[in-house]
Amino acid sequence: MSVLELRDVHRVHGHGETEVHALRGVTLSVASGELVAVMGPSGSGKSTLLNLAGGLDRPSSGEVVVDGTPLSECKLRDLASLRRKRIGYVFQSLNLLASLTAAENISLPMELDGVSVRKARQTAVAALAEVGLDDHADRFPDELSGGQQQRVAIARALIGERRLVLADEPTGALDSQTGETVLRLLRSKIDSGAAGILVTHDARHAAWADRVVFLRDGVVVDTSGPLDQPEALLGGTR
Ligand code: ADP
Ligand code: MG
């Protein structure tokens, strides 16, 4: 069964002369256990697609369905809860809260959902251990390197019962070894039953996906199986 479905989704940003038709009828479905890479030139609508998939933005028309629930029918409070519990985000901007430690950045959403402080702390430290940072649990983001911050962000995104993981160039600022760690963690979360979208410019990263979708000017121009000739399809987009 598909965890995520986009049905003929359009998104128009702005009004009048500044109007941008960022997505023009995108239909996409991602199943449990499936990682879909989204590639395409800058401005082609990749981040818009991810924001819509995660309920952070709403389509101008069309429908987004997560785990059988059409997001347009979700009350705001239910949507917030769905986002916190079921959807993991790894975005270019890390969105770590500077005033919270690494462990607190991970445990806060759990506490908001009623998990005890102690249990949330335990879970957070275990998640940090998975990314090799349990001894940095009490550091603040500005006491961590960029790569370490990114690992905290991925630990937070993959924790708990995430059904859908959305990653927007998650390896952006990372050295290749840390980037590989992030992709391996993402892949193993998917293999344990989540569905995922990975936006990337890098064909080597897209190779971790089961399927690659190419976007151009807000339209899906090609979907392939495992990547064969990405350079030909991407044609000078970097
Ligand atoms: P990508 O992630 O592929 O670079 P985006 O989804 O960020 O593409 O953007 C697609 C198009 O929509 C671009 O033309 C961009 O300028 C425009 N856009 C994105 N977000 C907004 C916004 N909040 N307001 C106005 N235009 C936007
Ligand atoms: Mg983007």
Side-chain angles (χ1 to χ4, degrees), residues 46-47 92 168-169 199:
K46 305 183 296 298
S47 295
Q92 280 162 314
D168 198 345
E169 301 187 43
V199 169

Side-chain angles (χ1 to χ4, degrees), residues 17-173:
E17 297 212 332
T18 59
E19 186 172 292
V20 178
H21 208 148
L23 292 180
R24 301 165 183 265
V26 170
T27 294
L28 175 68
S29 130
V30 188
S32 168
E34 187 179 37
L35 179 62
V36 173
V38 174
M39 305 186 82
S42 179
S44 58
K46 305 183 296 298
S47 295
T48 299
L49 187 158
L50 225 56
N51 288 337
L52 291 168
L56 298 168
D57 185 16
R58 291 188 181 271
S60 306
S61 69
E63 184 63 272
V64 179
V65 183
V66 176
D67 245 351
T69 305
L71 297 189
S72 65
E73 292 172 14
C74 266
K75 296 205 188 77
L76 275 182
R77 200 179 39 168
D78 298 338
L79 186 61
S81 161
L82 180 83
R83 285 198 306 242
R84 269 203 311 275
K85 292 185 194 165
R86 298 279 182 254
I87 306 178
Y89 306 90
V90 198
F91 285 166
Q92 280 162 314
S93 58
L94 295 169
N95 299 322
L96 294 181
L97 296 171
S99 59
L100 299 182
T101 65
E104 288 166 348
N105 262 285
I106 298 172
S107 60
L108 180 68
M110 284 184 273
E111 289 173 37
L112 288 174
D113 282 319
V115 176
S116 74
V117 172
R118 207 168 143 211
K119 172 77 182 155
R121 161 92 193 176
Q122 263 177 11
T123 312
V125 173
L128 285 169
E130 286 205 32
V131 297
L133 285 177
D134 39 329
D135 54 342
H136 289 52
D138 299 318
R139 303 245 185 121
F140 290 92
D142 69 2
E143 299 172 321
L144 299 169
S145 71
Q148 289 169 337
Q149 289 180 35
Q150 185 65 302
R151 282 190 276 158
V152 174
I154 193 113
R156 184 181 56 184
L158 300 185
I159 203 170
E161 297 172 18
R162 308 295 191 192
R163 293 285 292 146
L164 178 62
V165 180
L166 304 170
D168 198 345
E169 301 187 43
T171 57

Side-chain angles (χ1 to χ4, degrees), residues 112-237:
L112 288 174
D113 282 319
V115 176
S116 74
V117 172
R118 207 168 143 211
K119 172 77 182 155
R121 161 92 193 176
Q122 263 177 11
T123 312
V125 173
L128 285 169
E130 286 205 32
V131 297
L133 285 177
D134 39 329
D135 54 342
H136 289 52
D138 299 318
R139 303 245 185 121
F140 290 92
D142 69 2
E143 299 172 321
L144 299 169
S145 71
Q148 289 169 337
Q149 289 180 35
Q150 185 65 302
R151 282 190 276 158
V152 174
I154 193 113
R156 184 181 56 184
L158 300 185
I159 203 170
E161 297 172 18
R162 308 295 191 192
R163 293 285 292 146
L164 178 62
V165 180
L166 304 170
D168 198 345
E169 301 187 43
T171 57
L174 303 179
D175 62 79
S176 62
Q177 199 181 343
T178 314
E180 170 116 3
T181 304
V182 164
L183 291 166
R184 189 152 25 80
L185 288 164
L186 177 61
R187 185 71 243 183
S188 80
K189 186 71 186 179
I190 304 296
D191 290 341
S192 72
I197 297 186
L198 168 67
V199 169
T200 181
H201 282 300
D202 190 329
R204 284 166 306 178
H205 295 166
W208 288 76
D210 300 295
R211 191 150 63 85
V212 183
V213 167
F214 293 89
L215 265 187
R216 190 177 292 268
D217 297 330
V219 177
V220 172
V221 290
D222 186 58
T223 65
S224 354
L227 209 54
D228 14 270
Q229 288 192 308
E231 301 305 334
L233 284 161
L234 278 173
T237 57

